[in-house]
Amino acid sequence: MTHVGKQVCDAFVQALGAAGTECDDRVSHRRFFPQSETVTADAIVSSPLEDINPMSQAPVLYERTITVNVTARFTGDEDGLDDRAWRFQSLAEAAIAATNDLGGLAQTVFLRSRTSAADGSGHRAVLTCALQYTVLVYTRDGEPETAL
């Protein structure tokens, strides 16, 4: 088994891969976008932060608050990039909400923020949009691979 943080990210990748977005077959768990001159839409899932708080002493139970970032990148002509990003965000939100508890892995999953940024300085316009989620998972002391 793997750490619950990775399991959470993998569950996001699975849900987003079936969401019906134009990124479906190009959603991966990584921190950086792969270099490509031909890909016009892709998405990455990452977990930059996990707060861990003890809930009890004997046995020690932990409440893990995991931050998950879903970032999509769209490239091409400037016309239509915003519409593509809004569509991705809508479908991604619906897909994650439909998982409810990430298949029993999480106690709670909720959307925390949405951001976007555009860059038109290169030979192709690039628009990125990000959804940030908070995921609450409980584990026992010494068992970071098993969610309760």
Side-chain angles (χ1 to χ4, degrees):
M1 290 190 55
T2 61
H3 192 281
V4 292
K6 180 169 180 353
Q7 292 177 51
V8 165
C9 286
D10 289 346
F12 269 75
V13 169
Q14 183 177 1
L16 294 169
T21 74
E22 65 181 289
C23 300
D24 281 356
D25 60 344
R26 290 177 307 282
V27 178
S28 57
H29 177 200
R30 57 177 22 163
R31 293 187 184 275
F32 302 100
F33 284 105
Q35 296 294 318
S36 175
E37 289 294 319
T38 59
V39 172
T40 61
D42 52 358
I44 57 174
V45 175
S46 63
S47 177
L49 177 66
E50 181 177 333
D51 288 323
I52 303 169
N53 296 303
M55 294 173 34
S56 65
Q57 293 184 350
V60 177
L61 296 177
Y62 290 120
E63 177 183 77
R64 297 172 181 265
T65 305
I66 302 169
T67 300
V68 177
N69 294 333
V70 175
T71 307
R73 172 181 65 176
F74 300 92
T75 62
D77 294 329
E78 188 177 336
D79 292 339
L81 284 182
D82 278 324
D83 290 340
R84 292 167 63 198
W86 281 114
R87 177 157 173 74
F88 171 84
Q89 291 170 90
S90 178
L91 292 171
E93 278 190 53
I96 298 304
T99 68
N100 193 22
D101 61 0
L102 301 177
L105 183 62
Q107 298 295 316
T108 304
V109 179
F110 63 90
L111 180 62
R112 188 156 202 72
S113 67
R114 185 201 65 75
T115 60
S116 65
D119 181 3
S121 63
H123 64 282
R124 297 188 305 172
V126 178
L127 186 129
T128 58
C129 60
L131 301 171
Q132 186 177 78
Y133 284 86
T134 296
V135 180
L136 184 65
V137 178
Y138 297 148
T139 62
R140 288 189 175 89
D141 185 36
E143 297 180 26
E145 298 177 342
T146 306
L148 302 177

